[in-house]
Amino acid sequence: MSYKIFQIQPYFDHSEIKNLKKAIKTGWVTEGPFSGEFLDMLKTFTGAKYAVLANNGTLALFLSLLAIDVKEGDEVIVPDFTFNASAASIAFTGAKPVFVDISPDDLQIDTTKIENAITENTRAIMPVHIYGQSCDMDPVMEIAGKHHLKVVEDAAQGFGVFYKGRHTGTIGDVGMISFFADKTITTGEGAVVLTDNEDIFNKLKMLRNQGRPSSGTFIHPELGMNFRMTDLQCAVGVAQTKKFKTIEKIKARNHRLYEEYLKELPEIEFIKINDFSTFVPFRVNVKVPGLEELIDYLEKQGIQTRRMFYPLHRQPCFSHLNYKEDDFPVAREAYQKGMSLPIHCGLRKDDIRYICSSIKDFYAKK
Ligand SMILES: Cc1ncc(COP(=O)(O)O)c(C=O)c1O
């Protein structure tokens, strides 16, 4: 189906094309000058001491878990309400993902539930920063310290988001940010892994590059794989990073317009934004009654929406973990009521007005 308003749209202009032309002319297609520049920009922007690129966020999480030696027999705590890749990356190490519920207001991991999920096999906690703000990292770090656990931050959606002045992904032992097509800045596919720990950085470097410290040699001191990006992607990444402030501004304006147009509609419940976090809107996320009917109605108006995450404990691929259907009621409610509306930089004021008046029409007709 073709939509009048799509859920996502990258914010590209002449600057990505210029960089891509340059990359092609220089002949560097695998990691080269743009990769170096992109990596430096990301370190400066996030304040991370060390960083490595990875080919996507899912593999960046997998790489991070490998770098802190998570393996079969271990357990890693992860919120029940996140994209499946958070838990899949854990499962692919051979470890067991252990789910905890989320808070009803902000839909982030409920940090008061983490300690109950800790067993003698727990090795790490994976907090996930979703929908453009951070989760509350102080309690996560405190619990991790008390129980000698590592913290791997899934900041896939967290580019530009700061928790108490620190960029998401730089607070735990290791963290990653995704540059997938719907993310705040995009390279199509791609990600960065951040750490302040030199040992973890050295492991990341070996693991991502065939078990050798740098390319150009056929001697591999360790086993590794290929988690590299291309210079073409990084050429786009450099242009995108330079545009972050503009992207942030447009998305904040779009979010404000939705709030203004929908404020008199009692059916719409916006997700709470925490004082401890900055907010770089990642979709407009609301809880609504009559979700499925509303989504169908908006589809007919040519508006592409998304439901929120299907809780991990109900995912067919994790049925062997034997969770019960009514475990994690908050995550379940978020799925039953949660809808994401488009917020991309291609939206005009009139588009947002059209989306909001379509929602108003739907409830007026009920
Ligand atoms: C919370 C979360 N974790 C992990 C991922 C995986 O990232 P990628 O799509 O780059 O593999 C995503 C993204 O799509 C995500 O939203």
Side-chain angles (χ1 to χ4, degrees):
M1 148 147 205
S2 183
Y3 292 96
K4 278 190 204 148
I5 300 175
F6 283 93
Q7 182 66 202
I8 61 169
Q9 187 178 304
Y11 185 52
F12 290 156
D13 57 25
H14 63 279
S15 56
E16 284 81 9
I17 295 170
K18 191 175 127 217
N19 282 6
L20 277 169
K21 275 189 183 161
K22 194 170 161 193
I24 288 170
K25 274 191 190 151
T26 59
W28 277 104
V29 284
T30 184
E31 290 187 350
F34 274 115
S35 313
E37 190 178 345
F38 189 35
L39 207 47
D40 285 344
M41 286 174 100
L42 293 169
K43 279 193 283 188
T44 306
F45 184 81
T46 60
K49 206 161 172 187
Y50 306 106
V52 300
L53 298 168
N55 22 23
N56 59 56
T58 309
L59 289 173
L61 284 175
F62 180 54
L63 179 64
S64 305
L65 291 162
L66 293 179
I68 57 161
D69 294 323
V70 168
K71 55 188 176 317
E72 200 173 344
D74 293 338
E75 293 176 3
V76 179
I77 294 173
V78 62
D80 191 49
F81 189 73
T82 172
F83 186 51
N84 203 63
S86 314
S89 67
I90 298 167
F92 267 88
T93 66
K96 180 178 154 189
V98 173
F99 308 136
V100 296
D101 212 348
I102 51 166
S103 306
D105 300 340
D106 64 4
L107 309 186
Q108 311 289 331
I109 188 167
D110 183 343
T111 55
T112 65
K113 305 251 165 75
I114 294 176
E115 274 195 297
N116 274 348
I118 295 175
T119 71
E120 60 187 14
N121 297 322
T122 308
R123 180 106 179 83
I125 307 172
M126 182 188 285
V128 184
H129 308 284
I130 58 162
Y131 296 151
Q133 64 171 328
S134 80
C135 62
D136 194 0
M137 285 301 290
D138 283 348
V140 174
M141 296 309 293
E142 202 181 304
I143 295 165
K146 185 171 151 198
H147 296 272
H148 310 289
L149 306 174
K150 294 270 189 249
V151 174
V152 181
E153 288 178 75
D154 179 344
Q157 303 181 0
F159 187 82
V161 176
F162 290 81
Y163 171 79
K164 297 186 180 175
R166 297 170 73 186
H167 198 284
T168 54
T170 66
I171 303 155
D173 296 275
V174 57
M176 80 84 181
I177 302 169
S178 161
F179 304 123
F180 179 67
D182 67 345
K183 299 299 183 280
T184 301
I185 63 159
T186 184
T187 56
E189 301 279 358
V192 65
V193 181
L194 309 168
T195 185
D196 280 355
N197 180 310
E198 195 176 355
D199 292 338
I200 295 177
F201 174 57
N202 288 332
K203 281 198 177 155
L204 289 167
K205 272 200 301 184
M206 297 290 263
L207 284 162
R208 74 182 294 276
N209 193 19
Q210 311 281 14
R212 55 193 172 171
S214 52
S215 301
T217 165
F218 292 113
I219 299 170
H220 304 255
E222 287 175 21
L223 260 185
M225 295 179 84
N226 179 352
F227 291 92
R228 298 188 303 262
M229 277 179 86
T230 68
D231 231 39
L232 300 175
Q233 291 170 303
C234 294
V236 174
V238 166
Q240 287 271 290
T241 309
K242 286 182 183 160
K243 286 201 295 214
F244 167 69
K245 280 278 160 219
T246 312
I247 293 173
E248 183 184 37
K249 215 162 123 194
I250 297 172
K251 288 194 170 177
R253 179 208 68 159
N254 288 352
H255 202 271
R256 272 198 306 276
L257 287 174
Y258 273 102
E259 284 170 330
E260 191 186 316
Y261 297 152
L262 294 174
K263 69 172 179 259
E264 269 136 41
L265 211 56
E267 286 87 352
I268 306 294
E269 185 189 335
F270 282 88
I271 304 308
K272 181 189 161 207
I273 309 305
N274 293 303
D275 292 340
F276 54 65
S277 175
T278 60
F279 181 46
V280 183
F282 186 81
R283 317 282 165 87
V284 174
N285 300 292
V286 289
K287 287 193 211 167
V288 292
L291 173 71
E292 287 182 17
E293 261 182 88
L294 174 59
I295 286 179
D296 281 353
Y297 182 80
L298 293 177
E299 286 266 316
K300 288 193 189 104
Q301 312 308 310
I303 301 163
Q304 189 182 30
T305 61
R306 284 264 190 283
R307 288 189 72 154
M308 289 189 187
F309 298 122
Y310 194 57
L312 294 180
H313 77 283
R314 295 178 69 194
Q315 291 287 2
C317 65
F318 292 121
S319 61
H320 61 283
L321 298 176
N322 293 322
Y323 282 99
K324 291 197 287 301
E325 177 132 351
D326 52 4
D327 287 337
F328 316 120
V330 185
R332 219 169 62 147
E333 199 231 7
Y335 175 69
Q336 282 161 351
K337 294 193 178 164
M339 176 175 71
S340 300
L341 295 163
I343 196 159
H344 57 76
C345 294
L347 290 177
R348 292 161 303 145
K349 199 171 176 180
D350 279 352
D351 296 325
I352 298 174
R353 204 178 276 136
Y354 172 68
I355 296 169
C356 295
S357 61
S358 300
I359 296 172
K360 284 181 192 166
D361 289 348
F362 170 78
Y363 285 114
K365 283 182 192 151
K366 283 207 105 191

